């Protein structure tokens, strides 16, 4: 079970990295094409800004989830550095993880609700409904929760979600 | 009001990442309010990210990642050395001038410190500088460099407070120049006392060669500022053009960008953008809650009742920023404090352009403030010096910088003159 979770965690991390590279390349190309079409050709692209904004929502949510695995989120670590005893630092780690997981669960549920609602709204310039960009919210929250779970499985429930990676392979 | 603010402070103390402390405290505040559905968490998160202005963030990050090759920093530092290496203070001046060049193509202070430090610290050590002295000069120069646009802090501040990013960039020039001259003067006196000899004067042929080799990199700020200040590009467009330009120069001219490097730069851009944007989303939910609960108004009344006005508020702000940004790596600290302090500044009649420049200036000092500043550790890692050794050399520089910061805080003209004369900003009430 433990090995399966960690293997999925690694695979998920790889998928996130590849997706991020593709999405960042795409958003750069689309936005550059918009600038190019506006200043160089006389025929400005009208759909590019909306595509770029929706890609950005996906990049943010996947990037924020991937940052969990790479322990990239910023937080204050003074109290943890001062905590001398193991039981205190376990308690700090546990409380932090619960707080973070709690917010992610709210974001997941609210994200699912809004995605369902957005299925009735059509985008202004694209042949899609707003479900497509909204879906990034629950997907990102779920991926982040999974990384949090994998961290618990690997390092124990009291491990702080901000602690240095021991299985992250660069980025 | 007290519940969500207390939860937020407790969460920060526990070590909850800023984005989640902001968002989670807002969720608890929402739960305590009647009739507000939690779905607002999703819509505010989406609304915060779904912005064309903020798209400048990933593009400036990407441009920085692509420019962060050894070759470009080497070329820029060589140019700085042939220009000012012979002046009293020698390599110290080279660091400061080189940092101005480098900050002009990169939006991240930490990246500037790493890039300039890894070229200059070894070279300074070879010329008789102690590791601690070399580290201190690079740290101080990088703290100045945050004011040289383009600057990620200004992009984020501008988008979350609805202040013109072009005006913020333009407003950074004069404070950056002041800071650079103050540091050079300080550094020259210091170098004379330590008996450090300057470099030999370079010939004009050498200067021309160095300029030619750095030219492609130096064109980046020309594109960015020419574009934004000339009103051709929005900051987002300028950022994407800078990123594509960095790619073209790196692949075809300097030939340093290989596929693996490009892949890593793209992934890192995505992860860093995700981290920054999630904090902005958290701040957006939290700021909304603070407005609904009228927290800034209450605080403004308290401050005024205690006999304080804008002056006291600015002094307080500088002190709070100094500590908070050292504790929380600058940008996260800024996103944490803007929901309360920016509306408070508005209540007290402090102009937001000026406030943003003061915030950025202080951040430059905080990032290198011993013993916590995150930038400090980057420099120390390169120099191989301890916090204790470097503090002796660094504190006088930081004191000089703090004096300049206070001058910038209390002489708003320094902020306004460039953007107003370029027609990018109109100071309210003038």
């Amino acid at each position: 079970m433990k090995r399966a979770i960690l293997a999925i965690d690694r695979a998920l991390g790889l998928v996130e990295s590849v997706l991020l590279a593709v999405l960042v390349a795409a958003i750069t190309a689309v936005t550059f094409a918009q600038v190019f079409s506006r200043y160089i050709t006389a025929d400005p692209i009208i759909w590019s800004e909306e595509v770029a904004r929706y890609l950005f929502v996906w990049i943010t949510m996947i990037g924020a989830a991937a940052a969990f695995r790479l322990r990239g989120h910023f937080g204050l670590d003074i109290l943890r550095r001062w905590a001398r005893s193991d039981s205190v630092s376990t308690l700090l780690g546990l409380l932090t993880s619960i707080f973070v997981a709690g917010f992610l669960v709210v974001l997941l549920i609210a994200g699912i609700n809004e995605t369902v609602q957005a299925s009735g709204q059509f985008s202004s310039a694209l042949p899609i409904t707003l479900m497509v960009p909204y879906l990034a919210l629950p997907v990102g929250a779920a991926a982040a929760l999974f990384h949090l779970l994998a961290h618990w499985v690997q390092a124990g429930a009291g491990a702080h979600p901000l602690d240095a990676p021991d299985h992250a392979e660069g980025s | 009001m007290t519940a969500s603010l207390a939860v937020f402070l407790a969460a920060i103390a526990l070590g909850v990442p800023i984005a989640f402390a902001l968002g989670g405290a807002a969720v608890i505040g929402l739960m305590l309010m009647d009739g507000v559905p939690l779905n607002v968490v999703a819509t505010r998160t989406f609304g915060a990210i779904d912005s064309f202005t903020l798209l400048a963030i990933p593009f400036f990050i990407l441009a920085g990642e692509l420019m962060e090759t050894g070759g470009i920093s080497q070329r820029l530092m060589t140019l700085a050395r042939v220009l000012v290496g012979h002046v009293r203070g020698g390599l110290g001046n080279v660091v400061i001038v080189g940092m101005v060049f480098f900050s002009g193509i990169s939006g991240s202070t930490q990246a500037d410190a790493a890039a300039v430090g890894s070229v200059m610290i070894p070279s300074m050590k070879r010329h008789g500088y102690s590791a601690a002295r070399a580290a201190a000069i690079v740290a101080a120069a990088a703290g100045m460099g945050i004011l040289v646009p383009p600057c990620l802090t200004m992009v984020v501040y501008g988008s979350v407070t609805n202040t013109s990013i072009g005006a913020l960039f333009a407003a950074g020039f004069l404070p950056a120049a002041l800071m650079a001259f103050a540091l050079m003067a300080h550094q020259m006196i210091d170098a004379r006392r330590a008996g450090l000899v300057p470099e030999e004067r370079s010939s004009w042929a050498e200067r021309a060669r160095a300029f030619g080799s750095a030219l492609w990199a130096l064109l980046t700020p020309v594109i960015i500022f020419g574009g934004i200040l000339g009103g051709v590009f929005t900051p987002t467009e300028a950022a994407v053009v800078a990123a594509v330009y960095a790619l073209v120069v790196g692949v075809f001219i300097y030939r340093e960008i290989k596929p693996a490097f490009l892949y890593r730069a793209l992934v890192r851009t995505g992860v860093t953008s995700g981290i920054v944007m999630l904090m902005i989303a958290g701040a957006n939910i939290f700021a909304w809650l603070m407005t609904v609960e009228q927290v800034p108004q209450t605080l403004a009344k308290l401050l005024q009742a205690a006999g304080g006005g804008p002056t006291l508020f600015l002094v307080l702000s500088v002190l709070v920023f100094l500590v908070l940004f050292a504790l929380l790596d600058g940008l996260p600290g800024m996103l944490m404090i803007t929901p309360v302090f920016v509306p408070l500044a508005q209540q007290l009649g402090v102009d937001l352009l000026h406030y943003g420049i003061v915030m950025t200036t202080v951040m430059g000092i905080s990032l290198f403030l011993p013993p916590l500043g995150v930038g400090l550790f980057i420099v120390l890692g390169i120099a191989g010096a301890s916090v204790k050794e470097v503090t002796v050399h660094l504190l006088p520089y930081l004191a000089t910088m703090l004096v300049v910061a206070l001058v910038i805080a209390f002489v708003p003209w320094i902020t306004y003159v460039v953007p107003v004369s370029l027609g990018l900003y109109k100071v309210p009430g003038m």
Side-chain angles (χ1 to χ4, degrees):
Chain A
M1 184 65 183
K2 179 175 170 178
R3 272 177 48 197
I5 289 178
L6 292 182
I8 297 173
D9 190 54
R10 264 195 305 280
L12 188 60
L14 185 66
V15 170
E16 286 164 353
S17 292
V18 172
L19 272 176
L20 282 175
V22 171
L23 292 172
V24 173
I27 201 173
T28 310
V30 163
T31 312
F32 187 73
Q34 174 182 327
V35 177
F36 189 82
S37 74
R38 189 138 76 89
Y39 295 106
I40 312 287
T41 73
D43 186 22
I45 307 173
I46 43 165
W47 45 265
S48 53
E49 178 178 327
E50 214 177 338
V51 172
R53 282 193 283 117
Y54 295 163
L55 284 173
F56 193 33
V57 178
W58 275 95
I59 290 171
T60 299
M61 293 313 296
I62 297 177
F68 265 97
R69 217 175 103 71
L70 306 168
R71 316 281 176 259
H73 288 290
F74 295 102
L76 193 65
D77 59 357
I78 286 195
L79 212 56
R80 274 189 305 132
R81 275 198 259 166
W82 282 349
R84 293 261 180 254
S85 72
D86 280 353
S87 52
V88 174
S89 58
T90 305
L91 185 68
L92 286 177
L94 198 62
L95 285 173
T96 305
S97 298
I98 291 172
F99 195 96
V100 171
F103 178 73
L104 285 172
V105 168
V106 172
L107 188 61
L108 177 66
I109 296 170
I112 292 173
N113 289 340
E114 285 301 315
T115 306
V116 172
Q117 279 199 358
S119 63
Q121 293 168 267
F122 280 89
S123 129
S124 48
L126 303 168
I128 55 164
T129 65
L130 292 189
M131 237 179 120
V132 177
Y134 258 107
L135 191 61
L137 263 53
V139 168
L145 277 169
F146 192 85
H147 289 318
L148 208 57
L149 173 77
H151 187 52
W152 280 337
V153 167
Q154 194 187 39
H160 201 283
L162 283 181
D163 273 341
D166 44 10
H167 64 276
E169 57 259 24
S171 45
Chain B
M1 150 188 171
T2 38
S4 46
L5 211 54
V7 169
F8 172 64
L9 293 175
I12 291 289
L14 275 179
V16 174
I18 314 300
F20 298 91
L22 287 162
V27 166
I28 289 173
L30 286 171
M31 284 172 156
L32 295 174
M33 280 161 64
D34 282 332
V36 183
L38 279 182
N39 281 2
V40 89
V41 172
T43 49
R44 300 284 320 177
T45 302
F46 188 84
I49 309 166
D50 182 24
S51 140
F52 195 68
T53 315
L54 285 172
L55 267 180
I57 292 173
F59 297 139
F60 274 127
I61 295 174
L62 181 60
E65 290 278 349
L66 294 174
M67 283 280 176
E68 221 182 287
T69 62
I72 287 186
S73 34
Q74 193 75 51
R75 283 180 178 87
L76 293 175
M77 295 326 283
T78 306
L79 178 63
R81 189 170 52 73
V82 298
L83 288 179
V84 297
H86 62 281
V87 182
R88 187 187 302 283
L91 290 176
N93 294 331
V94 175
V95 169
I96 295 165
V97 172
M99 190 65 82
V100 172
F101 292 154
F102 204 83
S103 305
I105 66 169
S106 141
S108 152
T109 305
Q110 279 94 320
D112 298 351
V116 174
S118 50
V119 177
M120 288 309 294
I121 290 175
S123 151
M124 289 166 97
K125 279 189 187 165
R126 276 197 302 276
H127 285 76
Y129 286 72
S130 68
R133 180 188 294 271
I137 295 172
V138 171
M144 169 277 299
I146 196 172
L147 282 165
V148 181
C151 162
L152 213 51
T153 310
M154 292 179 189
V155 174
V156 174
Y157 177 89
S159 6
V160 297
T161 63
N162 271 326
T163 311
S164 151
I165 296 169
L168 281 163
F169 279 7
F173 281 116
L174 195 57
L178 261 183
M179 199 63 105
F181 283 121
L183 284 180
M184 280 171 90
H186 183 144
Q187 196 276 130
M188 284 182 196
I189 296 169
D190 212 34
R192 188 211 296 247
R193 232 185 264 153
L196 292 160
V197 250
E199 307 277 280
E200 276 177 34
R201 184 185 286 270
S202 309
S203 70
W204 284 101
E206 284 175 278
R207 287 181 187 172
R209 210 173 319 122
F211 183 76
S213 141
L215 183 66
W216 293 104
L218 286 175
L219 277 177
T220 311
V222 176
I223 294 171
I224 297 174
F225 304 121
I228 298 178
L229 305 184
V232 179
F233 293 146
T234 64
T236 304
E237 292 171 339
V240 75
V241 172
V244 171
Y245 176 78
L247 181 67
V248 171
V249 170
V251 171
F252 296 108
I253 297 169
Y254 290 156
R255 294 170 196 267
E256 286 190 322
I257 295 181
K258 302 279 181 274
F261 178 92
L262 180 61
Y263 175 76
R264 214 180 56 230
L266 290 170
V267 175
R268 281 167 56 133
T269 301
V271 174
T272 311
S273 307
I275 293 168
V276 173
M277 289 309 298
L278 199 67
M279 285 193 294
I280 292 180
N284 189 33
I285 311 172
F286 195 71
W288 176 75
L289 191 72
M290 290 290 107
T291 319
V292 172
E293 297 187 340
Q294 303 216 319
V295 174
Q297 286 88 335
T298 315
L299 289 177
K301 283 202 193 97
L302 277 176
L303 199 68
Q304 278 159 340
T311 312
L312 179 68
F313 174 67
L314 272 178
V315 174
L316 269 177
S317 297
V318 169
L319 291 175
V320 171
F321 296 162
L322 202 58
V323 176
L324 189 75
F325 297 164
L327 283 173
L328 286 172
D329 300 2
L331 207 54
M334 189 187 98
L335 284 166
M336 165 184 152
I337 203 152
T338 43
V340 176
F341 270 52
V342 165
L344 192 54
Q346 281 175 307
Q347 288 279 319
L348 295 168
V350 175
D351 176 61
L352 288 191
L353 180 75
H354 182 227
Y355 199 59
I357 294 297
V358 172
M359 201 183 275
T360 311
T361 312
V362 177
M363 192 182 291
I365 302 171
S366 294
L367 286 175
F368 297 92
L369 194 69
L372 289 169
V374 62
L376 182 67
F377 288 93
I378 295 174
V379 177
L380 288 178
I382 298 168
S386 74
V387 175
K388 214 172 140 192
E389 290 164 340
V390 83
T391 302
V392 183
H393 289 284
L394 185 54
L395 279 185
Y397 282 113
L398 294 180
T400 303
M401 292 169 80
L402 191 59
V403 171
V404 178
L406 288 173
V407 171
I408 293 168
F410 290 103
V411 188
W413 180 85
I414 300 169
T415 301
Y416 297 139
V417 62
V418 178
V420 167
S421 58
L422 286 170
L424 289 167
Y425 196 70
K426 211 176 153 331
V427 183
M430 273 171 79

